[in-house]
Amino acid sequence: MVIAGLCLADRTRLIVLSVFYIQGKAVVRRNKRDKKALPILLLSVLILAAVAGLSYLAFFFVRIPINNAAAVRDVQKLWSAHDYAQTYKACNEILSKQPFNNTALTLKGYSAFYLAVKETDTTQSHELLDTAIISMRVALQNATEKLLPQLYYMLGKAYFYKNTLSSYHYYADLVINYLTEAQNRQYKADDISLYLGLSYAALNMTMESISAFTEALLVRESDTLLMDIASQYYKAGQETVAKQYVYRVVTASEDEDLVNKGHMLLGQIYINEDNLAEARTEFETILKKNANSADAHYWLGVIYEKQGDLIKARAEWRTVLRIQVTHSGALQKMADYK
């Protein structure tokens, strides 16, 4: 009854000690008959001690995976409940005991990413994104083939958001690398084409950007996406196609900022076409809503310049510099016409 109530390790030790006692008594009795039995006693003690030690170690090391298996199930429940903060905390606890537990590494990376996206403190968001990226890249090393496509996708998204927080597009190439790998492994997500389009645009890979944006447009059309495509076609010198997309924005969008961007792009296209009257209308439309639009004043100055009226042109550029003292275009124009 007493033995039954003990844990495995305690029962093992009790049995071994009992064997020690019985074996010892037997050997002592034999020793009285044969003094040469002492070495046998010592050997028996060593063997039984080794068995006891191995039994204890086996119990200790088997218990850790069992406990961690339960912890992994718990963290998967937290992840399924979208409790990213508790998922992140629970993963750290598992990793403190098993640093290369793949499930914990993966879910730590995922939860850190979503916490970073919601974070309003830029510094904290950067730190969480770094944690997410490191965790997922380590998880890649021993992830199953089934999990790899999703890991590549999440890494691409993490680098995309890290790129948006940076002053320069340092990570656009990594976004493309991981998202393309996810696509090659047949991973499906509606936002992949959009992220690829924006990343290609950041790297001035115009035709690749247009291709990705066009694919994204088939998934979900938006005014922002239409404006992005128009901008890329304009960069590619395909201004007629660009106008078609811009018209859809300026005539239908309820986003005033996007509409103004559309008028700005149309004005520049009209200048290139030498249609100065239409161009002027576009910039004046912007100034009616926002008299302090530095770019609109700048392009009006360019129109006056093309018409040979440098007095009005310089007046527009001086207005630009009062609004935005570092405007590179206006500074260059004023330097050209000293």
Side-chain angles (χ1 to χ4, degrees):
M1 291 296 292
V2 173
I3 293 177
L6 297 175
C7 70
L8 175 60
D10 290 335
R11 279 183 283 173
T12 301
R13 286 194 294 269
L14 184 56
I15 292 168
V16 169
L17 289 173
S18 299
V19 172
F20 280 174
Y21 178 73
I22 295 168
Q23 183 69 22
K25 287 185 68 177
V27 173
V28 168
R29 284 196 299 268
R30 287 196 304 271
N31 189 46
K32 290 179 180 179
R33 297 189 302 269
D34 188 1
K35 292 184 179 182
K36 293 182 179 181
L38 182 58
I40 298 175
L41 173 61
L42 292 175
L43 181 61
S44 300
V45 170
L46 289 173
I47 291 172
L48 290 172
V51 170
L54 289 172
S55 299
Y56 179 76
L57 288 173
F59 171 75
F60 181 75
F61 285 109
V62 167
R63 182 178 57 182
I64 291 177
I66 290 173
N67 290 341
N68 277 332
V72 167
R73 287 194 295 271
D74 290 340
V75 83
Q76 288 172 330
K77 290 179 182 178
L78 291 170
W79 171 252
S80 299
H82 307 293
D83 191 341
Y84 303 127
Q86 288 302 315
T87 299
Y88 183 79
K89 180 180 178 181
C91 286
N92 278 331
E93 291 176 359
I94 294 173
L95 292 170
S96 67
K97 300 174 183 177
Q98 282 190 309
F100 297 103
N101 184 294
N102 192 267
T103 301
L105 282 168
T106 301
L107 294 183
K108 178 180 178 178
Y110 291 0
S111 57
F113 167 75
Y114 285 109
L115 290 172
V117 171
K118 294 193 299 181
E119 181 59 58
T120 55
D121 185 318
T122 303
T123 301
Q124 185 66 20
S125 186
H126 265 300
E127 292 176 359
L128 284 166
L129 284 172
D130 286 340
T131 298
I133 289 168
I134 291 169
S135 297
M136 287 188 279
R137 290 189 67 157
V138 175
L140 275 177
Q141 305 309 308
N142 63 342
T144 62
E145 284 295 322
K146 184 178 180 180
L147 179 61
L148 280 174
Q150 186 182 73
L151 267 172
Y152 284 121
Y153 166 70
M154 289 297 293
L155 265 169
K157 287 184 68 169
Y159 275 117
F160 177 83
Y161 278 93
K162 189 170 178 62
N163 203 52
T164 62
L165 295 177
S166 304
S167 300
Y168 301 95
H169 303 296
Y170 290 129
Y171 306 99
D173 59 330
L174 289 169
V175 178
I176 294 168
N177 177 62
Y178 284 112
L179 291 183
T180 301
E181 186 62 33
Q183 281 187 323
N184 291 340
R185 291 172 177 269
Q186 309 304 314
Y187 191 81
K188 305 295 183 184
D190 290 347
D191 53 5
I192 290 181
S193 296
L194 177 59
Y195 291 142
L196 284 174
L198 292 169
S199 300
Y200 282 127
L203 296 174
N204 293 317
M205 299 173 69
T206 305
M207 299 313 297
E208 291 86 349
S209 177
I210 289 172
S211 177
F213 279 144
T214 303
E215 187 175 333
L217 198 62
L218 297 174
V219 177
R220 185 183 298 111
E221 182 175 314
S222 70
D223 296 335
T224 301
L225 183 54
L226 290 171
M227 197 65 225
D228 287 332
I229 295 175
S231 298
Q232 292 305 304
Y233 273 116
Y234 176 72
K235 285 184 178 181
Q238 301 184 38
E239 296 180 349
T240 301
V241 180
K243 281 194 292 187
Q244 295 174 9
Y245 286 99
V246 179
Y247 286 146
R248 293 165 66 178
V249 175
V250 298
T251 58
S253 179
E254 297 180 358
D255 186 324
E256 188 171 309
D257 289 337
L258 276 179
V259 170
N260 285 338
K261 287 181 180 179
H263 286 303
M264 189 75 70
L265 186 56
L266 277 175
Q268 294 173 57
I269 292 172
Y270 287 137
I271 287 176
N272 293 340
E273 294 174 345
D274 207 30
N275 189 349
L276 300 183
E278 291 290 343
R280 181 173 178 172
T281 299
E282 297 298 330
F283 298 127
E284 288 178 343
T285 298
I286 296 171
L287 291 172
K288 286 177 183 178
K289 298 177 182 178
N290 178 16
N292 290 322
S293 172
D295 287 335
H297 282 292
Y298 170 77
W299 287 109
L300 275 179
V302 172
I303 292 172
Y304 289 129
E305 177 189 30
K306 286 181 173 292
Q307 293 173 334
D309 193 341
L310 291 180
I311 294 176
K312 287 186 176 179
R314 286 170 60 83
E316 290 294 337
W317 295 329
R318 281 194 293 269
T319 300
V320 172
L321 294 175
R322 283 196 295 271
I323 298 169
Q324 186 179 333
V325 68
T326 59
H327 194 286
S328 59
L331 287 170
Q332 184 61 54
K333 290 294 187 182
M334 293 299 286
D336 291 342
Y337 292 104
K338 282 185 178 178

